[in-house]
Amino acid sequence: MPLPHQLELLSPARDADIGIEAVNHGADAVYIGGPGFGARASAGNALADIERLCRHAHRFDARIFVTLNTILRDDELEPARQLTWQLYEAGADALIIQDMGLLQLDLPPIQLHASTQTDIRTPEKARFLQDVGLSQIVLARELDLQEIAAIRDALGAATDPARCTLEFFIHGALCVAYSGQCYISHAHTGRSANRGDCSQACRLPYQVLDAQGRFVAHDAHVLSMKDNNQSLNLRPLIDAGVRSFKIEGRYKDMGYVKNITAHYRRLFDEILEERPELARAASGRCTFSFTPDPNQNFNREFTDYFVNGRKDDIGAFDTPKNPGQPIGFVTRVGSDHFELMADDAALQLSNGDGLCYWDAQKELVGAQSNRVEDLGDGAWRVFPKDPMAQLHDLRQGTVINRNRSMDWARTLEKKSADRRIGVWLKLSETADGLQLCVTDEDGNAASAQTQLAHAAPKDEANNDAKLRESLAKLGETIFTPIDIVLDVPRPWFVPASVANALRRDAIAALEAARAAAWQRLPRAEPVQPPAPYPEDSLTYLANVFNHAARDFYAQHGVQVIDAAYESHEEEGEVSLMITKHCVRFSLSLCPKQAKGVIGVKGTVKAEPLQLVNGKEKLTLRFDCKPCEMHVVGKIKRGVMQQGAREAAEHALRFYRTRPAPAAFSD
């Protein structure tokens, strides 16, 4: 984990190849799913690929964190324990976990990090997780700067700043619920978000009805958030105590990871130039063959969420799709094409560009180009992939957006970054030849020698320049020369073949020295006696799904421990989602918004609302004191039946807090 003065850029990887490019584009650490038990069920990776990624990352002192962040059944504890050892042997630097039952097992001496699914919103929860041995904790996305600073203070940063690192999401898709506190997917489909299989009910359109059954909103995606973007808040986040800055996206493609990693690498490098008391958490500096731009990737428009306080424009209520950026307007509509005038005459369109526009019903309509013709002076003719008849409401004056640029995509399909570690090279004379010493910017050093009889150069004026040129040829390595010193008492003629061999041997020795110097991150020891949990009772919201997790909390003073929602003990209506996002606030129906408004004050009440999507109905209840919204519903009968079958199939032996209900009949 980064030291108190180090800033860690933490990038996602769907697979090892994307992870390698994340490192090449400036990531100090990468998080990736292993073969199982990760909270992105379809983003797993073989152990051999994890090992390959670790080898590449460790060359730059970058770290690889593997997600093991689902809640586990009793029958999964032993396979999960075995996997932790396999990941340790593959070279993983840390495991990201949610299930506290893992802390009861015989794990390897690998560092443990708290997943976002552990729902860290309070100083008390953060301090507890630190005290039980977690070295890095990712804070809830909903926190503001003051709340983050309060957690920093609670962790004792003043006395032991290296004990636990604060991690925070700075970019990517936002879950509307507090992480780990969403059960809609499981209640409606049996697919558990806490077990890596969310059905994303938050991205669906809903009818919003008030207590009298009147429509408040029609087909609105009221639970769908814009995408997170903290580009303008990095400095205050640093001052609040964040040291690991996390990019969301283990389902995202290579282009996204390259672009967003490079974007934040540039921003952090600017900060590091301004603030010499800070440092990067890994080695090497990056150069890019493109200009990073977050708008080029899929996004639902951007928000900085709650970092600077509650705002009313955090939702992507119109569509969960990517609306893109406006590029121009329609000037003419033909039978098989339309023409547009670009806002920027320098704009270039390409065959296959993703185009779209908003129709009269405020629905996003795709108009992907099949072929484009440049008419000159910013005018373009577009032949869309779909028939013109399907492009309803497309008329003169319609604003056209582009949400995918083929030129941009092709740029990122090629090599687009170079990461190099600076080295000093010093050539000196020995008793029987020459020695080349190389020292990198991290202080690692190595050398190589060659036996060579002295010969004076024929062209003494150009000899040193040619020798330096030979020694500087580090293009096939991960190094770049900072300075080359020829520390010889007399001019030497060194054949290019000899200089090249000497350079190769010295660099190979330096790589070996760096590998030998690499150290595993330390595993934190839990405090003794065991730290008490901040509460003495736990509901289903604690996600306790196995005996080991139950025993863990009991050992830390919890008296009443309910089973996880996935245990199907909560058969009635309960909170299926808890969120800081408030539909009433976003629709300007919040009683706090009405305060002081003449004629409105006292007439707006936080009465429940109802969400309807087809046959699915959910109730919105509002807890105004903490300013939270609860989405309330109940588990489907079919899901209960499915759960009973799975319990029999997997020999599920979870404790129950009351007698099991009678089995459902099909």
Side-chain angles (χ1 to χ4, degrees), residues 55 149 257 339 362 394 413 422 461-462 485 563 578 643:
R55 283 199 304 269
V257 174
E339 295 177 5
K362 198 60 175 174
L394 183 67
E413 286 173 356
N462 296 316
V485 175
I578 305 175

Side-chain angles (χ1 to χ4, degrees), residues 71-147:
I71 57 173
L72 305 169
R73 298 189 308 255
D74 279 326
D75 62 300
E76 293 171 328
L77 288 172
E78 177 56 22
R81 186 195 69 80
Q82 293 177 12
L83 179 58
T84 65
W85 282 94
Q86 293 168 335
L87 292 168
Y88 176 78
E89 290 163 0
D93 295 286
L95 303 178
I96 303 172
I97 68 170
Q98 176 188 186
D99 197 319
M100 294 297 112
L102 288 167
L103 298 182
Q104 300 289 100
L105 307 182
D106 174 29
L107 301 183
I110 191 170
Q111 193 168 99
L112 301 178
H113 295 181
S115 167
T116 182
Q117 298 296 110
T118 57
D119 183 32
I120 305 168
R121 286 180 267 158
T122 67
E124 294 79 13
K125 179 77 169 286
R127 181 59 185 253
F128 173 78
L129 291 173
Q130 172 187 265
D131 287 348
V132 298
L134 296 174
S135 299
Q136 189 154 308
I137 57 177
V138 58
L139 304 179
R141 297 169 174 91
E142 293 80 3
L143 299 183
D144 62 30
L145 292 168
Q146 291 72 33
E147 291 168 324

Side-chain angles (χ1 to χ4, degrees), residues 309-330:
R310 184 178 291 277
K311 300 176 181 177
D312 59 6
D313 61 347
I314 64 175
F317 296 164
D318 293 326
T319 178
K321 300 176 183 178
N322 176 15
Q325 303 296 310
I327 60 169
F329 59 93
V330 175

Side-chain angles (χ1 to χ4, degrees), residues 167-222:
E167 180 182 316
F168 193 71
F169 277 99
I170 56 169
H171 201 94
L174 286 166
C175 291
V176 63
Y178 291 120
S179 292
Q181 305 290 278
C182 185
Y183 309 94
I184 295 178
S185 178
H186 187 77
H188 288 177
T189 69
R191 294 168 54 184
S192 168
N194 279 311
R195 288 176 58 76
D197 197 20
C198 178
S199 62
Q200 294 195 313
C202 57
R203 301 299 181 188
L204 298 176
Y206 290 96
Q207 317 297 342
V208 184
L209 309 177
D210 67 11
Q212 286 73 47
R214 296 171 298 192
F215 278 88
V216 177
H218 177 71
D219 278 347
H221 301 263
V222 292

Side-chain angles (χ1 to χ4, degrees), residues 257-549:
V257 174
K258 283 184 172 184
N259 182 35
I260 303 304
T261 300
H263 168 70
Y264 282 100
R265 181 70 273 159
R266 282 192 164 186
L267 294 180
F268 280 116
D269 285 349
E270 290 175 4
I271 294 171
L272 293 172
E273 287 294 325
E274 296 170 7
R275 300 179 61 170
E277 76 276 14
L278 299 172
R280 58 180 51 83
S283 305
R285 289 168 174 78
C286 297
T287 56
F288 308 109
S289 63
F290 66 104
T291 301
D293 180 5
N295 286 314
Q296 293 288 351
N297 291 114
F298 179 98
N299 66 81
R300 303 174 181 90
E301 301 184 306
F302 291 121
T303 174
D304 68 356
Y305 216 31
F306 293 96
V307 165
N308 289 301
R310 184 178 291 277
K311 300 176 181 177
D312 59 6
D313 61 347
I314 64 175
F317 296 164
D318 293 326
T319 178
K321 300 176 183 178
N322 176 15
Q325 303 296 310
I327 60 169
F329 59 93
V330 175
T331 56
R332 179 178 174 274
V333 177
S335 60
D336 63 349
H337 69 275
F338 63 89
E339 295 177 5
L340 67 85
M341 177 60 66
D343 297 331
D344 180 356
L347 175 83
Q348 292 295 309
L349 292 180
S350 298
N351 298 341
D353 277 0
L355 305 178
C356 58
Y357 63 94
W358 297 100
D359 67 9
Q361 288 72 44
K362 198 60 175 174
E363 292 287 337
L364 196 65
V365 181
Q368 179 179 343
S369 67
N370 185 51
R371 180 168 59 88
V372 298
E373 293 179 359
D374 186 353
L375 304 180
D377 298 325
W380 292 83
R381 179 173 293 142
V382 178
F383 295 86
K385 179 180 178 182
D386 297 319
M388 289 294 296
Q390 295 183 15
L391 303 183
H392 51 278
D393 291 336
L394 183 67
R395 55 176 63 92
Q396 185 176 351
T398 299
V399 174
I400 297 294
N401 291 4
R402 179 166 64 182
N403 56 15
R404 177 175 170 81
S405 165
M406 289 304 298
D407 284 346
W408 176 268
R410 292 188 188 103
T411 295
L412 292 182
E413 286 173 356
K414 300 177 289 188
K415 178 180 171 63
S416 51
D418 203 16
R419 183 168 183 168
R420 298 295 182 100
I421 300 167
V423 294
W424 290 268
L425 297 94
K426 180 179 178 182
L427 185 71
S428 55
E429 187 174 325
T430 64
D432 57 357
L434 295 170
Q435 174 176 268
L436 180 63
C437 295
V438 288
T439 303
D440 66 27
E441 58 192 52
D442 298 317
N444 299 292
S447 63
Q449 296 81 32
T450 185
Q451 293 182 344
L452 182 68
H454 176 262
K458 295 179 180 179
D459 183 4
E460 188 171 328
N462 296 316
N463 181 69
D464 286 2
K466 289 182 178 180
L467 184 52
R468 283 192 173 89
E469 183 180 346
S470 293
L471 296 176
K473 292 179 179 179
L474 302 177
E476 299 301 317
T477 73
I478 63 171
F479 303 103
T480 187
I482 297 173
D483 189 26
I484 300 173
V485 175
L486 302 181
D487 184 23
V488 289
R490 49 186 171 167
W492 274 75
F493 168 67
V494 183
S497 59
V498 174
N500 292 340
L502 191 61
R503 182 195 68 240
R504 286 194 297 268
D505 290 347
I507 291 299
L510 181 60
E511 282 255 32
R514 290 184 62 84
W518 175 77
Q519 294 181 344
R520 286 192 177 273
L521 298 174
R523 169 78 173 274
E525 292 293 331
V527 301
Q528 294 297 334
Y533 191 73
E535 302 170 25
D536 62 5
S537 63
L538 294 175
T539 69
Y540 68 96
L541 297 171
N543 301 324
V544 178
F545 200 40
N546 57 68
H547 280 91

